[in-house]
Amino acid sequence: MIRFAKPSEETELLRLFNICFPGEEEFGEYFFKNHFSLKDTIVDEEKGVIRGSTMMLPYYIEGVGEVTYLYSVDTLPEFRGRGICKNILEHSHKLDLEKGRKASILIPGGKDLFDFYKKLGYEISSYADEREFTVLSENTSFELKECTPKDIEAFYRSHFKGRKAVRRSEKYFYDQINLFNTFGGGCSGLYDSDKLLSCGFYSRENGVLKFDEILGESCDVLASEVLKKKGLSHCTGRTEGGSVPIGMAYYYGEKFDFYMNLMFN
């Protein structure tokens, strides 16, 4: 039976998340404490056992309309291969159609999952560019500062004006900044006086720095200044454009490509 989750099942859903995403237990605890949405979570349950689940988070794509972002599509290992994920997705699609949503979107958790979701009707809809950054020798007159949610929201809105991209609010960026700060990363921006030219969310793992998202003009300068501040010589970064598949969509009508990176992925 597929239904909405009950308040008493939150602990069980966290356990399911940790089983399906090993090594992400600390993040799972943080996410469920701060961002888990019980009212948007559907589960597959049989004889009191939650076999699978997903969160149907509502988002809006500029120039398109409201969509569902499927976060954490989980199935217990012992129940895989029985069509549970397929049934959960099909049920979510029915709910989307009732609400008039334009598509179901998701970010596969690994390269092998692109083929899995493709078999279920999803198509690649979002791409990114993965680059390497190094320390630049020349100095810059721009100032490196920690970004505020207000600054990033205004920058993002201007940067993607007239283009299809997931709408992000000031609160959205507040949540993302808090997430990155909590796990040893951060969000830095390159400013020309009070104008934000580029911004980047970065994380560190085993001493290696990467920009999970870096946008705007002068990205190379921004990355260089962050590297100098951290005493590092190089890093990688993900930005818009390019040909690296990031997101997929199950369309309920007209197809569209859009920008969607940095979605708690």
Side-chain angles (χ1 to χ4, degrees):
M1 175 175 63
I2 300 177
R3 56 169 172 77
F4 282 98
K6 302 174 183 177
S8 60
E9 295 170 332
E10 186 169 337
T11 299
E12 181 65 16
L13 289 166
L14 174 58
R15 187 182 80 87
L16 174 61
F17 180 93
N18 289 336
I19 290 173
C20 294
F21 300 97
E24 298 290 336
E25 292 82 4
E26 189 177 0
F27 172 78
E29 291 281 352
Y30 176 91
F31 183 86
F32 270 71
K33 179 180 178 180
N34 295 279
H35 303 295
F36 174 72
S37 176
L38 185 69
K39 68 180 179 62
D40 295 314
T41 300
I42 57 175
V43 301
D44 174 285
E45 176 261 326
E46 183 180 71
K47 297 179 180 179
V49 177
I50 295 178
R51 304 185 298 177
S53 73
T54 191
M55 280 175 259
M56 298 179 59
L57 304 180
Y59 278 87
Y60 190 93
I61 296 179
E62 302 292 353
V64 174
E66 193 171 77
V67 299
T68 286
Y69 174 52
L70 291 182
Y71 184 75
S72 179
V73 183
D74 313 331
T75 304
L76 283 173
E78 60 265 37
F79 293 109
R80 290 173 186 168
R82 302 187 188 183
I84 291 172
C85 180
K86 178 176 181 289
N87 292 338
I88 289 175
L89 294 179
E90 288 179 349
H91 186 80
S92 75
H93 297 162
K94 292 178 182 177
L95 296 175
D96 282 344
L97 289 170
E98 290 173 4
K99 295 180 179 180
R101 292 179 177 172
K102 304 298 183 181
S104 169
I105 66 176
L106 51 79
I107 296 178
K111 292 182 179 179
D112 57 321
L113 290 176
F114 279 89
D115 287 337
F116 173 77
Y117 286 114
K118 185 177 180 180
K119 293 176 182 177
L120 298 176
Y122 283 78
E123 304 176 43
I124 296 174
S125 55
S126 299
Y127 294 85
D129 187 16
E130 293 186 350
R131 299 180 51 195
E132 291 192 5
F133 297 95
T134 59
V135 173
L136 303 177
S137 58
E138 62 267 25
N139 294 321
T140 177
S141 60
F142 301 136
E143 183 180 4
L144 180 71
K145 295 193 297 186
E146 295 303 302
C147 293
T148 67
K150 183 177 181 179
D151 284 349
I152 309 175
E153 190 276 331
F155 163 83
Y156 183 87
R157 183 164 24 89
S158 174
H159 185 74
F160 285 104
K161 184 177 181 180
R163 293 192 281 166
K164 293 179 175 64
V166 173
R167 182 181 292 174
R168 301 178 183 174
S169 64
E170 189 173 327
K171 183 183 183 305
Y172 178 94
F173 286 114
Y174 172 86
D175 290 339
Q176 288 285 354
I177 291 172
N178 187 59
L179 168 65
F180 277 79
N181 287 339
T182 298
F183 290 97
C187 179
S188 293
L190 198 66
Y191 286 80
D192 182 6
S193 186
D194 291 330
K195 181 182 179 182
L196 180 59
L197 302 176
S198 57
C199 66
F201 286 85
Y202 62 87
S203 57
R204 294 186 71 166
E205 186 173 348
N206 300 322
V208 178
L209 186 144
K210 68 172 182 178
F211 282 94
D212 298 82
E213 177 176 85
I214 184 167
L215 297 171
E217 58 182 283
S218 306
C219 284
D220 293 273
V221 179
L222 169 59
S224 175
E225 292 301 301
V226 172
L227 288 170
K228 289 178 184 178
K229 184 177 180 180
K230 303 294 181 182
L232 301 171
S233 60
H234 67 279
C235 69
T236 59
R238 178 178 287 174
T239 187
E240 62 181 309
S243 58
V244 178
I246 294 297
M248 303 186 78
Y250 185 99
Y251 299 101
Y252 302 126
E254 182 180 352
K255 298 179 181 181
F256 51 89
D257 293 336
F258 58 98
Y259 179 77
M260 71 175 298
N261 191 28
L262 204 69
M263 303 278 289
F264 290 109
N265 48 310

